[in-house]
Amino acid sequence: MARPAPRVAPEAALEAFKPLSFSAVNIRKFVVKAHRLSDLVGLGTLSDQAARFLEAAVAVGLNVVVSGGTQAGKTTLLNCLAAAVPGRERVISVEEVYELRFSHPDWVAMQTRQRGLEGTGEVRLRDLVKESLRMRPNRVIVGEVRAEECLDLLLALNSGLPGMASLHANSAREALVKMCTLPLLAGENISMLSAFRVTGQSGSPHGRLPRGHNVSEDRVGGGCLNA
C-alpha cells in the first residue's frame, strides 16, 4: 500500500510503498530552473512568440491546460504561467502534493489528505475544487487533473471563472479527449455527450511540453499550443 508522507524538505516529497515481499521508498526532488515565462525563453524551451502568446492569454483570463509526459516540465510551465497572473487577482490552487511555487501577493494553496487509520478524514481533490469556489477566487489552478475532479473544474470554467491545470497526455488533441472522458468517473449520470459539451464550451488555450522538444504554435480544435 502506498502512503505519501509529509514533505521531507521544501524541495522534495517522500512516498513509501510496501507490497508483500519488499519495501520501496520514492523521493521526488523538485528542481526549479525557471520562475517566469521569460526564463523558459532563455532556456530554449519556449520561443519568444509562444511566451508572449501565453502571457497574454493568462493576462486576459483565458483557460490554460498544460499536458505532456512524466517529467516533461508540466509543473514548471504551470508555475511560470501562474507567475504571470496579475497581482490584483485572488488565486486558489489545489494539489495532491505541494508542487506549485510561484510569487503572488494573494495566493491560497490547498492540499488533499488521505483517510486516517479509522477510515475518516479524507479530503479529495474534487472536494478542494468545490471548496475553492466558495473562497471568492479570480483564478483556480489544479496542479494535476487525474480523475473525476475534472468535471468540477470544467463546470467552474464554464461559469466564467478562469483556471489552469495540467494532465498527462501525448498531444493537445489527446488532452482534450482526456478532459472529455475523465468526467465520466464522476458517476453514472454523466454521459460522454454532456462531457464533450462542457469541455467544448470551456475553450482552453493548451500548452504541451514533451521531453526534448520545444513548443511551437499550432491549432488543434480551437487555439492551442502544441509541439
Side-chain angles (χ1 to χ4, degrees), residues 58-82:
V58 173
V60 299
L62 296 183
N63 303 320
V64 181
V65 174
V66 180
S67 77
T70 304
Q71 297 181 349
K74 299 185 298 298
T75 302
T76 299
L77 178 56
L78 198 58
N79 271 315
C80 295
L81 291 170

Side-chain angles (χ1 to χ4, degrees), residues 38 132 141 143 188 216:
S38 57
S132 68
I141 302 177
E188 296 180 357
S216 60

Side-chain angles (χ1 to χ4, degrees), residues 39-119:
D39 296 334
L40 293 178
V41 175
L43 292 171
T45 303
L46 286 178
S47 66
D48 184 65
Q49 181 183 7
R52 285 187 281 110
F53 170 79
L54 286 174
E55 189 171 5
V58 173
V60 299
L62 296 183
N63 303 320
V64 181
V65 174
V66 180
S67 77
T70 304
Q71 297 181 349
K74 299 185 298 298
T75 302
T76 299
L77 178 56
L78 198 58
N79 271 315
C80 295
L81 291 170
V85 175
R88 65 181 180 275
E89 296 188 10
R90 179 175 175 82
V91 179
I92 310 294
S93 67
V94 297
E95 303 175 83
E96 289 185 348
V97 178
Y98 285 132
E99 293 182 334
L100 293 176
R101 285 180 290 165
F102 57 92
S103 177
H104 195 276
D106 192 1
W107 170 34
V108 178
M110 297 190 292
Q111 183 183 27
T112 60
R113 182 176 63 195
Q114 287 192 340
R115 68 183 67 179
L117 296 177
E118 300 83 7

Side-chain angles (χ1 to χ4, degrees), residues 150-174:
C150 186
L151 174 63
D152 302 280
L153 175 62
L154 289 174
L155 292 176
L157 301 182
N158 248 339
S159 66
L161 177 65
M164 304 179 191
S166 71
L167 55 80
H168 284 85
N170 292 321
S171 67
R173 191 179 301 277
E174 289 184 21

